[in-house]
Coordinates of all heavy atoms in Angstrom, one line a residue:
M1 N -18.1 -23.2 -100.0 CA -19.4 -22.9 -100.0 C -19.9 -21.9 -99.0 O -19.4 -21.9 -97.8 CB -20.1 -24.4 -99.7 CG -21.5 -24.4 -99.8 SD -22.2 -26.0 -99.5 CE -23.6 -25.9 -100.3
T2 N -20.8 -21.1 -99.4 CA -21.4 -20.1 -98.5 C -22.4 -20.7 -97.5 O -23.1 -21.5 -97.8 CB -22.3 -19.0 -99.4 OG1 -21.2 -18.6 -100.4 CG2 -22.7 -17.9 -98.5
E3 N -22.2 -20.2 -96.2 CA -23.0 -20.5 -95.1 C -24.1 -19.5 -95.0 O -23.7 -18.3 -94.7 CB -22.3 -20.8 -93.9 CG -21.6 -22.1 -93.8 CD -21.2 -22.3 -92.4 OE1 -21.9 -22.2 -91.5 OE2 -20.0 -22.8 -92.2
L4 N -25.4 -19.9 -95.1 CA -26.6 -19.0 -94.8 C -27.1 -19.3 -93.4 O -27.2 -20.4 -93.1 CB -27.6 -19.2 -96.1 CG -27.0 -18.8 -97.4 CD1 -28.1 -19.2 -98.4 CD2 -26.5 -17.4 -97.6
K5 N -27.8 -18.4 -93.0 CA -28.4 -18.5 -91.7 C -29.7 -19.5 -91.9 O -30.0 -20.3 -91.1 CB -28.9 -17.1 -91.2 CG -29.7 -17.1 -89.9 CD -28.8 -16.4 -88.9 CE -29.4 -16.4 -87.5 NZ -28.3 -16.4 -86.5
L6 N -30.4 -19.3 -93.1 CA -31.5 -20.1 -93.4 C -31.0 -21.4 -94.1 O -30.2 -21.4 -95.1 CB -32.5 -19.3 -94.4 CG -33.6 -20.1 -94.7 CD1 -34.5 -20.4 -93.6 CD2 -34.3 -19.3 -95.9
A7 N -31.3 -22.5 -93.5 CA -31.0 -23.8 -94.1 C -31.8 -24.0 -95.3 O -32.8 -23.4 -95.4 CB -31.3 -24.9 -93.0
K8 N -31.3 -25.0 -96.2 CA -32.1 -25.3 -97.3 C -33.5 -25.9 -96.9 O -33.6 -26.6 -95.9 CB -31.4 -26.4 -98.1 CG -32.1 -26.9 -99.4 CD -31.3 -28.0 -100.2 CE -32.1 -28.4 -101.4 NZ -31.5 -29.5 -102.1
L9 N -34.5 -25.3 -97.7 CA -35.9 -25.6 -97.3 C -36.2 -27.1 -97.6 O -35.7 -27.8 -98.5 CB -36.8 -24.8 -98.2 CG -36.7 -23.3 -97.9 CD1 -37.8 -22.6 -98.8 CD2 -37.1 -23.0 -96.5
P10 N -37.0 -27.8 -96.7 CA -37.3 -29.2 -96.9 C -38.2 -29.4 -98.0 O -38.8 -28.4 -98.6 CB -38.1 -29.5 -95.6 CG -38.7 -28.2 -95.1 CD -37.7 -27.1 -95.6
D11 N -38.3 -30.7 -98.5 CA -39.2 -30.9 -99.7 C -40.6 -30.7 -99.2 O -41.1 -31.1 -98.2 CB -39.0 -32.4 -100.1 CG -39.8 -32.9 -101.2 OD1 -40.4 -32.1 -101.8 OD2 -39.9 -34.1 -101.4
R12 N -41.4 -29.9 -100.1 CA -42.7 -29.5 -99.6 C -43.7 -30.0 -100.7 O -44.9 -29.7 -100.8 CB -42.9 -28.1 -99.6 CG -42.0 -27.5 -98.4 CD -41.9 -26.0 -98.5 NE -41.2 -25.8 -99.8 CZ -40.5 -24.7 -100.2 NH1 -40.3 -23.8 -99.4 NH2 -40.0 -24.7 -101.5
T13 N -43.4 -31.1 -101.5 CA -44.1 -31.7 -102.4 C -45.2 -32.7 -101.7 O -44.8 -33.5 -101.0 CB -43.3 -32.6 -103.4 OG1 -42.3 -31.9 -104.0 CG2 -44.2 -33.2 -104.5
P14 N -46.4 -32.3 -101.9 CA -47.5 -33.2 -101.2 C -47.5 -34.6 -101.7 O -47.2 -34.8 -102.9 CB -48.8 -32.5 -101.7 CG -48.6 -31.3 -102.3 CD -47.1 -31.2 -102.7
V15 N -47.8 -35.4 -100.7 CA -47.7 -36.9 -101.1 C -49.1 -37.4 -100.9 O -49.7 -37.1 -99.8 CB -46.8 -37.7 -100.2 CG1 -46.8 -39.3 -100.4 CG2 -45.4 -37.1 -100.3
K16 N -49.7 -38.0 -102.0 CA -51.2 -38.5 -101.8 C -51.0 -40.0 -101.3 O -50.3 -40.8 -101.9 CB -51.9 -38.6 -103.1 CG -53.3 -38.9 -103.1 CD -53.9 -38.7 -104.4 CE -55.4 -39.1 -104.2 NZ -56.3 -38.8 -105.3
I17 N -51.8 -40.3 -100.3 CA -51.9 -41.5 -99.7 C -53.3 -42.0 -99.8 O -54.2 -41.2 -99.3 CB -51.4 -41.7 -98.2 CG1 -49.9 -41.2 -98.3 CG2 -51.6 -43.0 -97.6 CD1 -49.3 -41.1 -96.8
T18 N -53.6 -43.1 -100.3 CA -55.0 -43.7 -100.2 C -55.1 -44.8 -99.2 O -54.2 -45.7 -99.1 CB -55.3 -44.3 -101.6 OG1 -55.0 -43.4 -102.6 CG2 -56.7 -44.9 -101.7
I19 N -56.2 -44.7 -98.3 CA -56.4 -45.7 -97.3 C -57.8 -46.2 -97.4 O -58.7 -45.6 -97.9 CB -56.2 -45.1 -95.9 CG1 -57.1 -44.0 -95.6 CG2 -54.7 -44.6 -95.7 CD1 -57.1 -43.6 -94.2
T20 N -58.0 -47.4 -96.8 CA -59.3 -48.0 -96.7 C -59.7 -48.0 -95.1 O -58.8 -48.4 -94.3 CB -59.3 -49.3 -97.2 OG1 -59.0 -49.3 -98.6 CG2 -60.7 -50.0 -97.1
V21 N -60.8 -47.6 -94.8 CA -61.2 -47.5 -93.2 C -62.4 -48.4 -93.1 O -63.1 -48.6 -94.2 CB -61.5 -46.2 -92.7 CG1 -60.0 -45.3 -92.8 CG2 -62.5 -45.3 -93.5
S22 N -62.6 -48.8 -91.9 CA -63.8 -49.6 -91.6 C -65.2 -48.6 -91.7 O -64.9 -47.4 -91.6 CB -63.6 -50.1 -90.2 OG -63.8 -49.0 -89.2
P23 N -66.3 -49.2 -91.8 CA -67.4 -48.4 -91.8 C -67.6 -47.6 -90.5 O -68.1 -46.4 -90.6 CB -68.5 -49.4 -91.9 CG -68.0 -50.6 -92.7 CD -66.6 -50.6 -92.1
E24 N -67.2 -48.2 -89.4 CA -67.3 -47.5 -88.1 C -66.3 -46.3 -88.0 O -66.7 -45.2 -87.5 CB -67.0 -48.4 -86.9 CG -68.0 -49.6 -86.8 CD -67.7 -50.7 -87.7 OE1 -66.7 -50.8 -88.4 OE2 -68.5 -51.6 -87.8
L25 N -65.2 -46.4 -88.5 CA -64.3 -45.4 -88.6 C -64.8 -44.2 -89.5 O -64.7 -43.0 -89.2 CB -62.9 -45.7 -88.9 CG -61.8 -44.7 -89.0 CD1 -61.7 -43.8 -87.7 CD2 -60.4 -45.3 -89.3
N26 N -65.2 -44.6 -90.7 CA -65.8 -43.7 -91.7 C -66.8 -42.8 -91.0 O -66.9 -41.6 -91.2 CB -66.3 -44.4 -92.9 CG -66.8 -43.5 -93.9 OD1 -66.0 -42.5 -94.3 ND2 -67.9 -43.7 -94.4
Q27 N -67.7 -43.5 -90.3 CA -68.8 -42.7 -89.6 C -68.3 -41.9 -88.6 O -68.8 -40.7 -88.5 CB -69.8 -43.7 -89.0 CG -71.0 -43.2 -88.2 CD -71.9 -42.4 -89.4 OE1 -72.0 -42.8 -90.4 NE2 -72.5 -41.3 -88.7
A28 N -67.4 -42.2 -87.7 CA -66.8 -41.4 -86.6 C -66.1 -40.2 -87.4 O -66.1 -39.0 -86.9 CB -65.8 -42.2 -85.8
L29 N -65.4 -40.4 -88.4 CA -64.8 -39.3 -89.3 C -65.7 -38.3 -89.6 O -65.6 -37.1 -89.7 CB -63.9 -39.8 -90.4 CG -62.6 -40.5 -89.9 CD1 -61.9 -41.3 -91.1 CD2 -61.6 -39.5 -89.3
R30 N -66.8 -38.8 -90.3 CA -67.9 -38.0 -90.8 C -68.5 -37.2 -89.6 O -68.9 -35.9 -89.8 CB -68.9 -38.7 -91.5 CG -68.6 -39.1 -92.9 CD -69.5 -40.1 -93.5 NE -69.1 -40.7 -94.7 CZ -69.4 -40.0 -95.9 NH1 -70.0 -39.0 -96.0 NH2 -68.8 -40.8 -96.9
Q31 N -68.8 -37.8 -88.5 CA -69.3 -37.1 -87.2 C -68.3 -36.1 -86.8 O -68.7 -35.0 -86.4 CB -69.5 -38.1 -86.2 CG -70.8 -38.9 -86.5 CD -70.9 -40.1 -85.5 OE1 -70.0 -40.6 -84.9 NE2 -72.2 -40.7 -85.6
Y32 N -66.9 -36.4 -86.9 CA -66.0 -35.4 -86.4 C -66.1 -34.1 -87.3 O -66.1 -33.0 -86.8 CB -64.5 -36.0 -86.5 CG -63.6 -35.2 -85.7 CD1 -63.2 -35.3 -84.5 CD2 -63.0 -34.1 -86.5 CE1 -62.2 -34.5 -83.9 CE2 -62.0 -33.3 -85.9 CZ -61.7 -33.4 -84.5 OH -60.7 -32.7 -83.9
A33 N -66.2 -34.5 -88.6 CA -66.3 -33.3 -89.5 C -67.5 -32.3 -89.3 O -67.4 -31.0 -89.4 CB -66.3 -33.8 -90.9
E34 N -68.6 -33.0 -88.9 CA -69.8 -32.3 -88.7 C -69.7 -31.6 -87.3 O -70.2 -30.4 -87.2 CB -71.1 -33.2 -88.6 CG -72.3 -32.6 -88.1 CD -72.7 -31.4 -89.3 OE1 -72.4 -31.6 -90.3 OE2 -73.3 -30.4 -88.7
I35 N -69.1 -32.1 -86.2 CA -68.8 -31.4 -85.1 C -67.8 -30.2 -85.2 O -68.1 -29.2 -84.8 CB -68.4 -32.4 -84.0 CG1 -69.4 -33.4 -83.6 CG2 -67.9 -31.7 -82.7 CD1 -69.1 -34.5 -82.8
Y36 N -66.8 -30.5 -86.2 CA -65.9 -29.4 -86.5 C -66.6 -28.3 -87.1 O -66.4 -27.2 -86.7 CB -64.8 -30.0 -87.4 CG -63.8 -29.0 -87.7 CD1 -62.6 -28.8 -87.1 CD2 -64.1 -28.0 -88.9 CE1 -61.6 -27.9 -87.4 CE2 -63.2 -27.2 -89.3 CZ -62.0 -27.1 -88.5 OH -61.0 -26.1 -88.9
R37 N -67.6 -28.6 -88.0 CA -68.4 -27.4 -88.5 C -69.2 -26.6 -87.6 O -69.4 -25.5 -87.6 CB -69.2 -28.0 -89.6 CG -70.0 -27.0 -90.7 CD -71.3 -27.5 -91.2 NE -72.2 -28.0 -90.2 CZ -73.0 -27.4 -89.4 NH1 -72.9 -26.1 -89.3 NH2 -73.9 -28.1 -88.5
A38 N -69.9 -27.4 -86.7 CA -70.7 -26.8 -85.8 C -70.0 -26.0 -84.8 O -70.4 -24.9 -84.3 CB -71.5 -27.9 -84.9
T39 N -68.6 -26.4 -84.5 CA -67.8 -25.8 -83.5 C -67.2 -24.5 -84.1 O -67.2 -23.4 -83.5 CB -66.6 -26.7 -83.0 OG1 -67.2 -27.8 -82.4 CG2 -65.7 -26.0 -82.1
Y40 N -66.8 -24.6 -85.4 CA -65.9 -23.4 -86.0 C -66.7 -22.7 -87.0 O -66.2 -21.7 -87.6 CB -64.7 -24.0 -86.5 CG -63.7 -24.4 -85.4 CD1 -63.4 -25.9 -85.4 CD2 -63.2 -23.7 -84.5 CE1 -62.5 -26.4 -84.4 CE2 -62.4 -24.3 -83.6 CZ -62.0 -25.6 -83.4 OH -61.2 -26.0 -82.4
G41 N -67.9 -23.2 -87.4 CA -68.7 -22.6 -88.6 C -68.1 -22.7 -89.8 O -68.4 -21.8 -90.7
A42 N -67.1 -23.6 -90.1 CA -66.6 -23.8 -91.4 C -66.6 -25.2 -91.7 O -66.1 -26.1 -90.8 CB -65.2 -23.3 -91.3
A43 N -67.1 -25.6 -92.9 CA -67.2 -26.9 -93.3 C -65.8 -27.5 -93.8 O -65.4 -26.7 -94.8 CB -68.5 -27.1 -94.2
E44 N -65.3 -28.5 -93.3 CA -64.2 -29.1 -93.9 C -64.4 -30.5 -94.2 O -65.0 -31.2 -93.5 CB -62.9 -29.0 -92.8 CG -62.6 -27.5 -92.6 CD -61.8 -26.8 -93.7 OE1 -61.6 -27.5 -94.6 OE2 -61.8 -25.5 -93.5
S45 N -63.8 -31.0 -95.4 CA -64.1 -32.4 -95.7 C -63.3 -33.2 -94.8 O -62.2 -32.8 -94.3 CB -63.7 -32.5 -97.1 OG -62.2 -32.6 -97.3
V46 N -63.7 -34.5 -94.8 CA -63.0 -35.5 -93.9 C -61.5 -35.6 -94.5 O -60.6 -35.6 -93.7 CB -63.6 -36.9 -94.0 CG1 -62.6 -37.9 -93.4 CG2 -65.0 -36.8 -93.1
A47 N -61.3 -35.6 -95.8 CA -60.0 -35.7 -96.5 C -59.2 -34.4 -96.1 O -57.9 -34.7 -95.9 CB -60.1 -35.8 -98.0
D48 N -59.7 -33.3 -95.9 CA -59.0 -32.2 -95.5 C -58.6 -32.2 -94.0 O -57.6 -31.7 -93.6 CB -59.7 -30.9 -95.7 CG -59.8 -30.5 -97.3 OD1 -58.9 -31.0 -98.0 OD2 -60.7 -29.8 -97.7
L49 N -59.4 -32.8 -93.2 CA -59.2 -33.0 -91.8 C -58.1 -34.0 -91.3 O -57.4 -33.8 -90.4 CB -60.5 -33.3 -91.0 CG -61.5 -32.1 -91.0 CD1 -62.8 -32.5 -90.4 CD2 -61.0 -30.9 -90.2
I50 N -58.1 -35.1 -92.1 CA -57.2 -36.2 -91.7 C -55.8 -35.8 -91.6 O -55.1 -36.3 -90.6 CB -57.6 -37.4 -92.8 CG1 -58.8 -38.1 -92.4 CG2 -56.5 -38.5 -92.5 CD1 -59.3 -39.1 -93.4
P51 N -55.2 -35.1 -92.5 CA -53.7 -34.8 -92.4 C -53.5 -34.1 -90.9 O -52.4 -34.3 -90.2 CB -53.4 -34.0 -93.5 CG -54.4 -34.4 -94.5 CD -55.6 -34.6 -93.8
F52 N -54.3 -33.2 -90.7 CA -54.2 -32.4 -89.3 C -54.4 -33.3 -88.1 O -53.9 -33.2 -87.1 CB -55.1 -31.3 -89.4 CG -54.6 -30.2 -90.3 CD1 -55.4 -30.2 -91.6 CD2 -53.7 -29.4 -90.1 CE1 -55.1 -29.4 -92.6 CE2 -53.3 -28.4 -91.1 CZ -53.9 -28.4 -92.3
M53 N -55.5 -34.2 -88.3 CA -55.7 -35.3 -87.2 C -54.5 -36.1 -87.0 O -54.0 -36.3 -85.9 CB -56.8 -36.1 -87.5 CG -58.1 -35.2 -87.6 SD -59.6 -36.2 -88.3 CE -60.3 -36.9 -86.9
L54 N -53.9 -36.6 -88.1 CA -52.7 -37.4 -88.0 C -51.6 -36.7 -87.4 O -50.8 -37.2 -86.5 CB -52.3 -38.0 -89.4 CG -53.1 -39.0 -89.9 CD1 -52.9 -39.4 -91.4 CD2 -53.1 -40.3 -89.0
G55 N -51.3 -35.4 -87.9 CA -50.3 -34.6 -87.3 C -50.4 -34.4 -85.8 O -49.4 -34.5 -85.1
A56 N -51.7 -34.1 -85.4 CA -52.0 -34.0 -83.9 C -51.6 -35.2 -83.2 O -51.0 -35.1 -82.0 CB -53.4 -33.4 -83.7
F57 N -52.1 -36.3 -83.7 CA -51.7 -37.7 -83.1 C -50.3 -37.8 -82.9 O -49.8 -38.2 -81.8 CB -52.4 -38.8 -83.9 CG -52.1 -40.2 -83.3 CD1 -52.7 -40.6 -82.3 CD2 -51.0 -40.8 -84.0 CE1 -52.4 -41.9 -81.8 CE2 -50.6 -42.1 -83.4 CZ -51.3 -42.6 -82.4
L58 N -49.5 -37.7 -84.1 CA -48.0 -37.9 -83.9 C -47.4 -36.9 -83.0 O -46.5 -37.3 -82.2 CB -47.4 -37.8 -85.3 CG -47.7 -38.9 -86.2 CD1 -47.3 -38.5 -87.6 CD2 -47.4 -40.1 -85.8
D59 N -47.9 -35.6 -83.0 CA -47.3 -34.7 -82.0 C -47.5 -35.0 -80.5 O -46.8 -34.5 -79.7 CB -47.9 -33.2 -82.3 CG -47.3 -32.7 -83.6 OD1 -46.4 -33.2 -84.2 OD2 -48.0 -31.7 -84.1
S60 N -48.7 -35.7 -80.3 CA -48.9 -36.0 -78.9 C -48.4 -37.4 -78.4 O -48.6 -37.7 -77.4 CB -50.4 -35.9 -78.8 OG -51.2 -37.0 -79.5
D61 N -47.8 -38.1 -79.3 CA -47.3 -39.4 -78.9 C -46.0 -39.3 -78.4 O -44.8 -39.1 -79.1 CB -47.3 -40.3 -80.3 CG -47.0 -41.8 -79.9 OD1 -46.1 -42.0 -79.0 OD2 -47.7 -42.7 -80.5
K62 N -45.7 -39.2 -77.0 CA -44.5 -39.1 -76.4 C -43.4 -40.2 -76.7 O -42.4 -39.9 -76.9 CB -44.7 -39.1 -74.8 CG -45.7 -38.0 -74.4 CD -45.0 -36.6 -74.6 CE -46.0 -35.7 -73.9 NZ -46.1 -34.5 -74.7
G63 N -44.0 -41.5 -76.9 CA -43.1 -42.6 -77.3 C -42.4 -42.4 -78.8 O -41.2 -42.7 -78.9
F64 N -43.3 -41.9 -79.6 CA -42.8 -41.6 -81.0 C -41.8 -40.6 -81.0 O -40.7 -40.6 -81.6 CB -44.0 -41.4 -81.8 CG -43.6 -41.0 -83.2 CD1 -43.0 -41.8 -84.0 CD2 -43.8 -39.7 -83.7 CE1 -42.7 -41.5 -85.3 CE2 -43.4 -39.2 -84.9 CZ -42.9 -40.2 -85.7
A65 N -42.1 -39.4 -80.2 CA -41.2 -38.3 -80.2 C -39.8 -38.8 -79.6 O -38.8 -38.4 -80.1 CB -41.8 -37.2 -79.3
K66 N -39.9 -39.6 -78.6 CA -38.6 -40.0 -78.0 C -37.8 -40.8 -78.9 O -36.5 -40.7 -79.1 CB -38.8 -40.8 -76.7 CG -37.7 -41.3 -75.9 CD -38.0 -41.9 -74.6 CE -36.7 -42.2 -73.8 NZ -37.1 -43.0 -72.6
A67 N -38.5 -41.8 -79.5 CA -37.7 -42.7 -80.6 C -37.3 -41.9 -81.7 O -36.2 -42.1 -82.3 CB -38.7 -43.8 -81.0
R68 N -38.1 -41.0 -82.2 CA -37.7 -40.2 -83.4 C -36.5 -39.4 -82.9 O -35.5 -39.2 -83.8 CB -38.9 -39.3 -83.7 CG -38.7 -38.5 -85.0 CD -40.0 -37.8 -85.4 NE -40.0 -37.4 -86.7 CZ -40.8 -36.5 -87.1 NH1 -41.8 -36.0 -86.4 NH2 -40.8 -36.2 -88.4
K69 N -36.4 -38.7 -81.8 CA -35.3 -37.9 -81.3 C -34.0 -38.8 -81.2 O -33.0 -38.4 -81.7 CB -35.6 -37.1 -80.0 CG -34.5 -36.3 -79.6 CD -34.8 -35.7 -78.3 CE -33.7 -34.7 -77.7 NZ -32.3 -35.0 -78.1
S70 N -34.1 -39.9 -80.8 CA -33.0 -40.8 -80.6 C -32.5 -41.2 -82.1 O -31.2 -41.0 -82.2 CB -33.6 -42.2 -79.9 OG -32.5 -43.1 -79.9
I71 N -33.3 -41.6 -82.9 CA -32.9 -41.8 -84.3 C -32.2 -40.5 -85.0 O -31.2 -40.7 -85.5 CB -34.1 -42.3 -85.3 CG1 -34.5 -43.6 -84.7 CG2 -33.7 -42.3 -86.7 CD1 -35.9 -44.1 -85.4
T72 N -32.8 -39.4 -84.8 CA -32.3 -38.2 -85.3 C -30.9 -37.9 -84.7 O -29.9 -37.5 -85.4 CB -33.2 -36.9 -85.1 OG1 -34.4 -37.2 -85.7 CG2 -32.6 -35.7 -85.7
D73 N -30.7 -38.0 -83.3 CA -29.5 -37.7 -82.7 C -28.4 -38.8 -83.2 O -27.3 -38.3 -83.5 CB -29.7 -38.0 -81.2 CG -30.4 -36.8 -80.6 OD1 -30.6 -35.9 -81.2 OD2 -30.8 -37.0 -79.3
E74 N -28.9 -40.0 -83.3 CA -27.9 -41.0 -84.1 C -27.4 -40.6 -85.4 O -26.2 -40.6 -85.7 CB -28.4 -42.3 -84.0 CG -28.7 -42.9 -82.6 CD -29.4 -44.3 -82.8 OE1 -29.5 -44.9 -83.9 OE2 -29.9 -44.8 -81.6
M75 N -28.3 -40.2 -86.2 CA -27.9 -39.7 -87.5 C -27.0 -38.5 -87.5 O -25.9 -38.6 -88.2 CB -29.2 -39.3 -88.3 CG -29.9 -40.5 -89.0 SD -31.2 -40.0 -90.1 CE -31.4 -38.3 -90.1
F76 N -27.3 -37.5 -86.7 CA -26.5 -36.4 -86.6 C -25.1 -36.6 -86.1 O -24.1 -36.1 -86.4 CB -27.1 -35.1 -85.8 CG -28.3 -34.4 -86.7 CD1 -29.4 -34.4 -86.2 CD2 -27.8 -33.9 -87.9 CE1 -30.4 -33.7 -87.0 CE2 -28.8 -33.2 -88.7 CZ -30.1 -33.1 -88.2
S77 N -25.0 -37.4 -85.0 CA -23.7 -37.8 -84.4 C -22.8 -38.5 -85.5 O -21.7 -38.3 -85.5 CB -23.9 -38.7 -83.1 OG -24.4 -39.9 -83.4
A78 N -23.5 -39.4 -86.3 CA -22.7 -40.1 -87.3 C -22.2 -39.1 -88.4 O -21.1 -39.2 -88.9 CB -23.6 -41.3 -88.0
E79 N -23.1 -38.1 -88.7 CA -22.7 -37.1 -89.8 C -21.6 -36.2 -89.3 O -20.8 -35.7 -90.0 CB -23.9 -36.3 -90.1 CG -25.0 -37.1 -91.0 CD -26.1 -36.3 -91.3 OE1 -26.2 -35.1 -90.9 OE2 -27.1 -36.8 -91.9
S80 N -21.5 -36.0 -87.9 CA -20.6 -35.0 -87.3 C -19.3 -35.6 -87.1 O -18.4 -35.0 -86.6 CB -21.1 -34.3 -86.1 OG -21.4 -35.2 -85.1
A81 N -19.2 -37.0 -87.1 CA -17.9 -37.7 -86.8 C -16.9 -37.3 -87.8 O -17.2 -36.8 -89.0 CB -18.1 -39.2 -87.0
P82 N -15.7 -37.2 -87.4 CA -14.5 -36.8 -88.2 C -14.5 -37.6 -89.5 O -14.8 -38.8 -89.5 CB -13.3 -37.0 -87.4 CG -13.8 -37.0 -86.1 CD -15.2 -37.6 -86.0
R83 N -14.0 -37.0 -90.7 CA -14.1 -37.7 -91.9 C -13.4 -39.0 -91.8 O -13.7 -40.1 -92.3 CB -13.5 -36.9 -93.0 CG -14.5 -35.7 -93.4 CD -13.8 -35.2 -94.8 NE -14.2 -36.1 -95.8 CZ -14.9 -35.7 -96.9 NH1 -15.1 -34.5 -97.1 NH2 -15.3 -36.5 -97.8
T84 N -12.1 -39.0 -91.1 CA -11.4 -40.3 -91.0 C -12.2 -41.4 -90.4 O -12.2 -42.5 -90.7 CB -10.0 -39.9 -90.3 OG1 -10.3 -39.4 -89.0 CG2 -9.3 -39.1 -91.1
E85 N -12.9 -41.0 -89.3 CA -13.8 -42.0 -88.6 C -14.9 -42.4 -89.4 O -15.0 -43.7 -89.5 CB -14.4 -41.2 -87.4 CG -15.3 -42.1 -86.6 CD -14.5 -43.1 -85.7 OE1 -13.4 -42.9 -85.5 OE2 -15.1 -44.2 -85.4
R86 N -15.5 -41.6 -90.4 CA -16.4 -42.1 -91.2 C -15.9 -43.0 -92.3 O -16.5 -44.0 -92.6 CB -17.2 -41.0 -91.9 CG -18.4 -40.5 -91.0 CD -19.2 -39.3 -91.7 NE -18.5 -38.1 -91.4 CZ -18.6 -37.0 -92.2 NH1 -19.3 -37.1 -93.4 NH2 -18.0 -35.9 -91.9
R87 N -14.6 -42.7 -92.7 CA -14.1 -43.6 -93.8 C -13.7 -45.0 -93.2 O -13.8 -45.9 -93.9 CB -12.7 -42.9 -94.3 CG -13.1 -41.7 -95.2 CD -11.7 -41.3 -95.8 NE -12.0 -40.1 -96.5 CZ -11.1 -39.0 -96.9 NH1 -9.9 -39.2 -96.3 NH2 -11.4 -38.1 -97.6
R88 N -13.2 -45.0 -92.0 CA -13.0 -46.3 -91.4 C -14.2 -47.1 -91.3 O -14.0 -48.3 -91.4 CB -12.4 -46.1 -90.0 CG -10.9 -46.2 -89.9 CD -10.4 -46.2 -88.6 NE -9.7 -44.8 -88.4 CZ -9.8 -44.0 -87.5 NH1 -10.6 -44.2 -86.4 NH2 -9.2 -42.8 -87.3
K89 N -15.3 -46.7 -91.1 CA -16.5 -47.5 -91.1 C -17.0 -48.0 -92.5 O -17.6 -48.8 -92.6 CB -17.7 -46.6 -90.5 CG -17.5 -46.4 -89.0 CD -18.6 -45.6 -88.5 CE -18.3 -45.2 -87.0 NZ -19.3 -44.5 -86.4
S90 N -16.5 -47.5 -93.4 CA -16.8 -47.8 -94.9 C -16.2 -49.1 -95.3 O -15.1 -49.5 -94.8 CB -16.2 -46.7 -95.8 OG -16.5 -47.1 -97.2
A91 N -17.0 -49.8 -96.0 CA -16.4 -51.1 -96.5 C -15.5 -50.9 -97.7 O -14.8 -51.9 -98.1 CB -17.6 -52.0 -97.0
V92 N -15.4 -49.8 -98.2 CA -14.5 -49.7 -99.4 C -13.3 -49.1 -98.9 O -13.1 -48.2 -98.1 CB -15.1 -48.5 -100.4 CG1 -14.3 -48.3 -101.5 CG2 -16.6 -48.8 -100.8
P93 N -12.1 -49.9 -99.3 CA -10.8 -49.5 -98.8 C -10.4 -48.0 -99.3 O -10.8 -47.6 -100.3 CB -9.9 -50.5 -99.3 CG -10.7 -51.1 -100.4 CD -12.1 -51.0 -100.2
E94 N -9.7 -47.4 -98.6 CA -9.1 -46.1 -98.9 C -8.2 -46.3 -100.1 O -7.5 -47.2 -100.1 CB -8.3 -45.5 -97.8 CG -9.3 -45.3 -96.5 CD -9.4 -43.8 -96.2 OE1 -8.8 -43.0 -96.8 OE2 -10.2 -43.6 -95.2
P95 N -8.1 -45.2 -101.1 CA -7.2 -45.5 -102.2 C -5.7 -45.6 -101.9 O -5.0 -46.4 -102.4 CB -7.4 -44.1 -102.9 CG -8.8 -43.7 -102.5 CD -8.9 -44.1 -101.1
S96 N -5.3 -45.0 -100.7 CA -3.8 -45.2 -100.3 C -3.6 -46.6 -99.8 O -2.5 -47.0 -99.7 CB -3.6 -44.1 -99.2 OG -4.4 -44.4 -98.0
S97 N -4.7 -47.3 -99.4 CA -4.2 -48.7 -98.9 C -4.5 -49.8 -99.9 O -4.3 -50.9 -99.6 CB -5.3 -49.0 -97.7 OG -6.6 -49.1 -98.2
I98 N -4.6 -49.4 -101.2 CA -4.8 -50.4 -102.3 C -3.4 -50.6 -102.8 O -2.8 -49.7 -103.1 CB -5.8 -50.0 -103.4 CG1 -7.2 -49.8 -102.7 CG2 -5.8 -50.9 -104.6 CD1 -8.2 -49.2 -103.7
S99 N -3.0 -51.8 -102.9 CA -1.7 -52.1 -103.5 C -1.7 -52.2 -105.0 O -2.7 -52.7 -105.5 CB -1.2 -53.6 -103.0 OG -1.2 -53.5 -101.6
A100 N -0.8 -51.7 -105.7 CA -0.7 -51.8 -107.1 C 0.0 -52.9 -107.7 O 0.7 -53.6 -107.1 CB 0.1 -50.5 -107.6

């Protein structure tokens, strides 16, 4: 298989999520959208702002970043283990160990 400098691109299919919020949160989100419009001179809907707000929240959560890195490191270390090591962990016996 050819190795390219650019890795395979990630899935970029948008995912629609529907949520229900309290009246107080809805009011705060509308106020945020209005302050955003006043600040930047561009009106954006609450629905358009929420993904960026969530992204900013996740990016600023140090505990989440640390836990996510730990999980990712564990996945990569398991993937980079030698093939024989990965096979030993499998519940399926190796073909050579099956008696006929």
Side-chain angles (χ1 to χ4, degrees):
M1 181 179 207
T2 305
E3 279 194 44
L4 299 176
K5 187 118 179 141
L6 179 65
K8 183 178 179 187
L9 296 178
D11 183 8
R12 295 163 304 206
T13 306
V15 177
K16 183 173 183 166
I17 298 174
T18 303
I19 63 168
T20 303
V21 298
S22 68
E24 294 83 10
L25 180 55
N26 182 53
Q27 182 62 30
L29 290 168
R30 289 175 183 270
Q31 289 170 338
Y32 190 96
E34 180 56 33
I35 294 167
Y36 180 94
R37 185 204 56 74
T39 301
Y40 297 112
E44 298 288 348
S45 72
V46 169
D48 288 337
L49 291 172
I50 287 175
F52 295 95
M53 295 167 86
L54 289 172
F57 172 81
L58 292 176
D59 289 346
S60 69
D61 188 322
K62 303 289 187 221
F64 173 67
K66 185 176 179 181
R68 190 177 195 190
K69 182 180 181 330
S70 174
I71 291 169
T72 303
D73 289 348
E74 288 173 17
M75 278 186 357
F76 282 124
S77 66
E79 288 176 3
S80 63
R83 287 194 78 130
T84 54
E85 180 70 22
R86 279 188 267 156
R87 284 187 185 153
R88 262 188 245 132
K89 291 179 182 177
S90 172
V92 179
E94 301 244 358
S96 59
S97 66
I98 300 174
S99 303

